[in-house]
């Protein structure tokens, strides 16, 4: 476990990063609350695809890259929110600059994505699938369970054997 260093607190609380892209200094910011609400609406299909990827246990750099490519318009819109740059500027970036911006955006906002996935249960389901059960089937099969009471009928139960 690493030692806590107070000088890192601002980086943990506000993981914003400043970088040079296409000759400009830009700031990639973690979504603020209202921006996050807008981002949730934009990213719904992206969240669903990311959850599927996690459930399949295939989250690696290549799979994430493919996911971003499939949902590129939402990804660019999300990066525009995070950077304050317009989408046309982002779309016009050279490949290397676009990759740098995309990976910085992911690093800065990954907590936003992961919190939504955890709340949605995708991570928990993925963990259950990756860890095999250590014991047999925890619930009995329907054919092996016995009823706990007599079946209900319209008859009044008899109070004695002679009645």
């Amino acid at each position: 476990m690493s030692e806590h260093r107070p000088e890192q607190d601002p980086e943990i609380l506000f993981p914003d990063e400043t970088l040079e892209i296409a000759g400009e200094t830009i700031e990639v910011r973690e979504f603020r609350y209202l921006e996050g609400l807008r981002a949730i609406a934009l990213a719904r299909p992206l969240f669903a695809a990311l959850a599927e990827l996690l459930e399949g246990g295939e989250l690696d750099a290549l799979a994430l890259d493919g996911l971003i490519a499939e949902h590129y318009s939402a990804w660019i819109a999300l990066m525009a929110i995070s950077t304050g740059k317009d989408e046309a500027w982002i779309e016009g970036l050279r490949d290397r600059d676009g990759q740098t911006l995309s990976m910085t955006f992911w690093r800065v906002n990954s907590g936003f994505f992961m919190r939504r996935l955890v709340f949605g249960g995708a991570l928990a389901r993925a963990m259950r699938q990756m860890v095999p059960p250590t014991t047999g089937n925890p619930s009995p099969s329907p054919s092996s369970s016995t009823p706990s009471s007599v079946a209900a009928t319209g008859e009044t139960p008899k109070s004695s054997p002679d009645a």
Side-chain angles (χ1 to χ4, degrees):
M1 184 173 187
S2 65
E3 181 181 318
H4 175 258
R5 296 188 339 228
E7 69 272 12
Q8 289 180 320
D9 288 349
E11 295 169 20
I12 294 167
L13 293 173
F14 304 104
D16 302 347
E17 289 189 35
T18 302
L19 65 151
E20 181 132 345
I21 298 283
E24 287 187 48
T25 301
I26 64 165
E27 183 177 33
V28 180
R29 298 181 4 183
E30 181 180 42
F31 292 131
R32 301 320 190 239
Y33 180 69
L34 185 57
E35 292 170 338
L37 293 176
R38 287 180 46 216
I40 289 169
L42 284 169
R44 283 183 200 272
L46 192 60
F47 285 134
L50 192 52
E52 275 185 44
L53 213 61
L54 284 171
E55 288 171 359
E58 300 178 25
L59 187 59
D60 59 20
L62 189 57
L64 184 60
D65 206 34
L67 180 82
I68 290 168
E70 288 175 29
H71 301 277
Y72 71 90
S73 60
W75 190 254
I76 289 172
L78 293 167
M79 288 194 303
I81 292 170
S82 177
T83 62
K85 301 301 276 181
D86 62 39
E87 292 178 31
W89 184 85
I90 295 170
E91 291 169 354
L93 292 174
R94 292 182 15 218
D95 183 62
R96 175 177 239 149
D97 288 337
Q99 286 292 317
T100 299
L101 178 59
S102 185
M103 290 300 103
T104 303
F105 168 74
W106 174 254
R107 186 172 47 251
V108 167
N109 285 288
S110 62
F112 168 83
F113 289 97
M114 291 300 130
R115 283 189 300 274
R116 272 45 186 203
L117 290 170
V118 168
F119 290 142
L123 192 55
R125 286 190 299 278
M127 293 304 292
R128 282 194 304 273
Q129 289 179 352
M130 285 189 240
V131 179
T134 56
T135 60
N137 189 356
S139 61
S141 69
S143 62
S144 67
S145 61
T146 55
S148 59
S149 62
V150 178
T153 66
E155 296 179 16
T156 304
K158 299 177 182 179
S159 56
S160 69
D162 297 334

